[in-house]
Amino acid sequence: APPPPHRCPARRLRCRPMPETRPRAPSDEDYLRAAALRHALRRFLRTSEQVAREHGLTPQRYLLLLMIRGTPDGSASSPTVERMNLAQNTVTDLVARAEAAGLVRREQAEHDARSSWLQLTAEGERRLAGAVTDLGPERSALIEALAHLEDEE
């Protein structure tokens, strides 16, 4: 029988223990691919931050609007928290600031008073659309870089 799951200290999740066998040492090619991947991701993130600012959005606000808009029929606040991979209170603060800036509209959920639905306002939609449009070529370049790295495996 497999060993029982244990608690991973860093994430408080149940996971299986690491196997006893030691993995092989990374090859030079592994380092080259890891560095190329990291370079492509950082380039995309830096460009995304710059474009977001050009459209009057902080990088976190851009991410918030994108996660809300990227969900069909608006977004409940809990899935938005999960998709952003940030703490609940951080997302709550971001939503409050985006709402105060006129970018997001929050409506209380009918079935649960603790939940709310998030939608972009016309201004939030306008700014996000501009940023997403301007980032199209950079998204394509990242996808191409990832495909190239995968082809090398």
Side-chain angles (χ1 to χ4, degrees):
H6 72 281
R7 290 231 177 251
C8 295
R11 302 205 69 215
R12 297 183 189 175
L13 300 174
R14 290 200 167 291
C15 63
R16 298 246 178 242
M18 295 295 290
E20 293 298 318
T21 59
R22 297 185 60 80
R24 67 169 179 78
S27 67
D28 288 344
E29 185 62 30
D30 291 333
Y31 287 115
L32 289 172
R33 284 201 338 264
L37 173 63
R38 184 69 181 163
H39 171 73
L41 291 172
R42 280 300 304 146
R43 178 181 166 178
F44 179 78
L45 290 173
R46 271 194 318 272
T47 303
S48 296
E49 291 169 0
Q50 178 184 350
V51 168
R53 286 186 177 99
E54 289 170 2
H55 289 275
L57 299 169
T58 65
Q60 283 190 327
R61 198 171 280 173
Y62 168 74
L63 179 60
L64 173 70
L65 298 182
L66 184 61
M67 291 300 108
I68 293 169
R69 183 64 174 87
T71 303
D73 302 324
S75 178
S77 56
S78 294
T80 300
V81 169
E82 291 170 21
R83 292 180 80 193
M84 291 185 71
N85 201 23
L86 296 171
Q88 172 75 47
N89 62 333
T90 302
V91 175
T92 300
D93 289 345
L94 278 170
V95 169
R97 288 193 304 261
E99 189 175 28
L103 302 172
V104 171
R105 178 174 39 254
R106 187 180 353 198
E107 297 176 19
Q108 192 149 353
E110 293 178 16
H111 65 282
D112 185 354
R114 297 169 297 166
S115 294
S116 57
W117 287 94
L118 305 172
Q119 290 185 317
L120 302 187
T121 63
E123 179 63 15
E125 185 75 42
R126 183 187 68 75
R127 290 189 199 184
L128 178 63
V132 168
T133 299
D134 288 355
L135 281 169
E138 197 64 32
R139 275 193 310 279
S140 296
L142 178 60
I143 290 167
E144 185 177 316
L146 293 175
H148 177 72
L149 287 172
E150 193 169 285
D151 289 344
E152 292 178 357
E153 283 187 14

